[in-house]
Amino acid sequence: MKIAVLGFGTVGRGVVNIIEDRVPQVQVARILELPDRCVEPRMTPNFDDIANDPEIEVVVECMGGLEPAHTFICMALTAGKSVVTSNKAVVAEYFEEFVNLANAHDAGFLIEASVGGGIPWIASIAKVRRVDEVSTFSGIMNGTTNYIIDSMAKQDLDFDIALGRAQELGYAERDPSADIDGIDVRNKTIISASVAFDVACTKDLPVTGIRTLTKRDMAMFRQKGLQVKLFGRGVQRDGSYAVAVEPVAVPRDSMEAAVPSNFNLVSLEGTTVGPLKFYGQGAGSLPTGNAMVQDVLDVAAHVQPRYDFSRGLTYDPTLLTSSYVFRTSVDAPQSAEWYATDAWLVHHLSAVDAHKLFEQVQARDPKAFMAAISRED
Amino acid sequence: MKIAVLGFGTVGRGVVNIIEDRVPQVQVARILELPDRCVEPRMTPNFDDIANDPEIEVVVECMGGLEPAHTFICMALTAGKSVVTSNKAVVAEYFEEFVNLANAHDAGFLIEASVGGGIPWIASIAKVRRVDEVSTFSGIMNGTTNYIIDSMAKQDLDFDIALGRAQELGYAERDPSADIDGIDVRNKTIISASVAFDVACTKDLPVTGIRTLTKRDMAMFRQKGLQVKLFGRGVQRDGSYAVAVEPVAVPRDSMEAAVPSNFNLVSLEGTTVGPLKFYGQGAGSLPTGNAMVQDVLDVAAHVQPRYDFSRGLTYDPTLLTSSYVFRTSVDAPQSAEWYATDAWLVHHLSAVDAHKLFEQVQARDPKAFMAAISRED
């Protein structure tokens, strides 16, 4: 089978290397590259060379960003080619459009690499849904922030030092906003919810990151037997669903607290299978490349998920409700109770209301921090 | 699609309930039951009624035990019917025979439920192997012993008290030997190695259980920052492989140490995907039934693993080498060093040599305990 790879950065090189080393039945026929980087005959700067080549059955998009990725994916699907992508930003933004195009042109649209890198998360959700409803999902979907938190916990580092080390190791970008402000997890949460609940997930969900997490916050939670992790999560019940991205304080002896370094751990709960958790490398050239090659092999084996987002679930933010800790010098509202020095607790807040309250607090105390408490309420 | 279910105990009822509630495209046409328990028309005590019914495409074996399960599986495969089984004892004993029959008669042989209950472990190994070599696997494959160890750790219980609670909860049998002596994990290790390494795995592997684990042993390891878990594990390298079942002392902050109650956590390492871990309910009517229904749906979708065990790997026990702690009143051999009161450590032992040494020690001190230390040597 002949495929084309769009983009020849970290992930694109991973895909090409894995296929050339290990998957003789697949041939990388074309690679889309910038004009000044086309150093071998199969490289082209012109996407039309790929879209118009009838021999190319699968387009593997690893360019990242919204445009031109969005346009190229639409062109490939319209030409009846299956698309495999690792681009969480473009999938989160245009998932429904891509699904409609794929179904209209009988093409596959495969996104395993967009969440959890090499972890077979998307395929596992799809498999669980053959038998079960997925009632909840949650987890650590961003290795950079897990690395930062894990370093802070194990080596008692300040946030900025831990972030600096993540940048040195190549886990964090020069501008780390997408990771530490929860944007990356937001995209992965939208994608996971769309697959788990078969719904075109809202893009207007509460997103809180860990930018203001301090060493003292870590110690405060440690004293309570807890550790903060950045979670994406979703729940569905009775025809409604809710999603959120927020720091969650989990028990220190939980599986989530034990996730080391830059690894991911994603969980779901199915009707009959019960809780399942999946752990692995959420990023990196080879793990992410592996997930894309697995998707290519699924196309070759005619094993393709089919989405249609026709379930008509209603977005109801009140489904996702927790107790929240606010660490801030701002005075507590009447409904709050004392949690620790400079920190108060509010019970039974929806993720949306917690996020609103946190915005009010941060307007007066930009260094404030907020986390949901798991297993309360 | 019409199927037959052999055995109507915990797992068989789970399969039938899930199919009737959630999988309308599959029909349970016959159920094999004891003569005095055939209370509805589709039940029969006579396997010939199933083997000779050309409409039945899949036989779901949940009887357990070696015979007559072995005979019925062979008859079904010979009749060209696909077989789905949760019976780890019969698969571990006759895997190669079943695979040869399945291949000769173009039938499927699916065993997801035999290891890890509802966890998609077997399918995940098979998927990883489409691209990667599996270099190692390991993990907590027995929920009963994990429940015992977790209760001992969290509630500071004696072994016998924790075992009694496991029996009250239905996690352990009246005769708990198969769980606490590692026989159940042995069967699951043989099956996992066969799938991961594509080899008819040796049945002559070292097996050590946790029958002699004490509260004091737990405290000794806790002081070293470790916690014991019962592991099945395997490794392959350079045309050879090794397998073992033994207690392993893992870091207290590891994922494995955090596995609660009667859950399972199984891990593998693939060439390009890196480490993956899978967590869930390793037993129970609905999780195990779910795994079998997933296998039935794979048959319906023509997605079937094909084993042939033709890789010709050599069994080389020296591949699996660790440091071992022996807690015993028996004097240490010359090569040992002191570990704690009444406990000594030997470096760089193969699992087979450790098991032999432990047998010698137990001949003089039947209450002795042995564990490998992870991350040493």
Side-chain angles (χ1 to χ4, degrees), chain A residues 179-209:
Chain A
D179 290 321
I180 67 177
D181 292 334
I183 311 306
D184 175 77
V185 180
R186 168 195 175 272
N187 291 335
K188 293 167 174 172
T189 301
I190 290 172
I191 296 168
S192 299
S194 303
V195 177
F197 306 150
D198 198 18
V199 69
C201 179
T202 181
K203 289 162 200 165
D204 183 22
L205 63 162
V207 177
T208 307

Side-chain angles (χ1 to χ4, degrees), chain B residues 37-330:
Chain B
R37 292 192 190 162
C38 288
V39 295
E40 51 161 306
R42 63 183 168 172
M43 288 182 172
T44 172
N46 185 356
F47 182 68
D48 287 336
D49 291 345
I50 291 163
N52 297 332
D53 183 341
E55 292 200 337
I56 290 174
E57 292 178 57
V58 183
V59 170
V60 177
E61 189 271 307
C62 12
M63 297 187 296
L66 293 182
E67 288 296 348
H70 164 244
T71 302
F72 292 169
I73 291 173
C74 289
M75 286 170 70
L77 292 171
T78 303
K81 299 181 192 307
S82 290
V83 169
V84 170
T85 178
S86 59
N87 184 337
K88 49 223 154 225
V90 83
V91 178
E93 187 63 28
Y94 299 109
F95 204 169
E96 191 171 20
E97 180 184 8
F98 294 150
V99 161
N100 290 339
L101 274 178
N103 293 346
H105 297 277
D106 202 23
F109 182 65
L110 297 97
I111 56 171
E112 185 61 80
S114 70
V115 186
I119 303 171
W121 169 239
I122 298 293
S124 293
I125 300 176
K127 184 170 181 180
V128 165
R129 291 200 57 234
R130 294 201 304 192
V131 177
D132 282 353
E133 290 283 318
V134 175
S135 57
T136 67
F137 72 86
S138 68
I140 298 164
M141 302 178 174
N142 179 275
T144 308
T145 47
N146 196 73
Y147 176 85
I148 291 171
I149 292 170
D150 191 51
S151 309
M152 290 175 75
K154 288 188 182 147
Q155 299 162 56
D156 199 28
L157 300 182
D158 281 319
F159 183 90
D160 289 341
I161 306 288
L163 170 59
R165 294 206 182 158
Q167 287 169 322
E168 276 165 34
L169 289 164
Y171 297 159
E173 306 282 330
R174 203 56 23 213
D175 174 2
S177 311
D179 290 322
I180 66 177
D181 292 334
I183 311 305
D184 176 77
V185 180
R186 169 194 174 271
N187 291 335
K188 292 166 173 169
T189 301
I190 290 173
I191 296 168
S192 299
S194 301
V195 176
F197 306 151
D198 199 17
V199 69
C201 179
T202 182
K203 290 162 199 165
D204 183 22
L205 64 160
V207 176
T208 306
I210 62 156
R211 186 184 281 270
T212 54
L213 177 65
T214 66
K215 217 158 96 166
R216 279 189 57 198
D217 297 335
M218 298 290 292
M220 172 181 77
F221 287 114
R222 193 181 309 130
Q223 275 214 320
K224 306 270 184 182
L226 300 173
Q227 174 161 352
V228 166
K229 295 275 176 169
L230 180 59
F231 267 36
R233 43 183 182 166
V235 56
Q236 74 155 319
R237 199 165 58 233
D238 306 331
S240 301
Y241 77 101
V243 280
V245 176
E246 57 197 10
V248 178
V250 297
R252 283 186 67 204
D253 63 358
S254 64
M255 303 284 294
E256 282 70 20
V259 173
S261 188
N262 64 337
F263 282 88
N264 287 192
L265 178 69
V266 278
S267 308
L268 62 78
E269 176 97 24
T271 322
T272 66
V273 79
L276 293 177
K277 295 178 192 283
F278 303 87
Y279 167 98
Q281 276 290 357
S285 178
L286 291 179
T288 308
N290 179 290
M292 302 190 88
V293 173
Q294 290 283 9
D295 276 354
V296 170
L297 292 174
D298 274 350
V299 175
H302 307 288
V303 178
Q304 290 167 22
R306 191 141 187 128
Y307 308 107
D308 66 7
F309 301 155
S310 64
R311 296 216 29 233
L313 296 184
T314 314
Y315 178 55
D316 176 2
T318 65
L319 283 184
L320 209 48
T321 302
S322 309
S323 297
Y324 285 83
V325 171
F326 296 78
R327 188 268 304 143
T328 173
S329 55
V330 171

Side-chain angles (χ1 to χ4, degrees), chain A residues 18 22 118-120 123 127-128 130-133 154 253-255 258-259 263 265 271-273 275-281 286-287 290 293-294 297-298, chain B residues 18 22 118-120 123 127-128 130-133 154 253-255 258-259 263 265 271-273 275-281 286-287 290 293-294 297-298:
Chain A
I18 292 170
R22 323 188 63 86
I119 302 171
K127 184 170 181 181
V128 165
R130 296 201 303 190
V131 176
D132 283 353
E133 291 282 318
K154 289 188 180 146
D253 63 358
S254 64
M255 303 282 295
V259 173
F263 282 87
L265 177 69
T271 322
T272 66
V273 78
L276 292 177
K277 294 180 192 284
F278 303 86
Y279 167 98
Q281 275 290 358
L286 291 178
N290 179 291
V293 174
Q294 290 283 9
L297 292 175
D298 274 351
Chain B
I18 292 170
R22 322 188 65 85
I119 303 171
K127 184 170 181 180
V128 165
R130 294 201 304 192
V131 177
D132 282 353
E133 290 283 318
K154 288 188 182 147
D253 63 358
S254 64
M255 303 284 294
V259 173
F263 282 88
L265 178 69
T271 322
T272 66
V273 79
L276 293 177
K277 295 178 192 283
F278 303 87
Y279 167 98
Q281 276 290 357
L286 291 179
N290 179 290
V293 173
Q294 290 283 9
L297 292 174
D298 274 350

Side-chain angles (χ1 to χ4, degrees), chain A residues 54 83 87 139 145 151 167 172 185 250 268 275 289 317 348:
Chain A
V83 170
N87 183 338
T145 47
S151 310
Q167 287 169 322
V185 180
V250 298
L268 63 79
H348 211 75

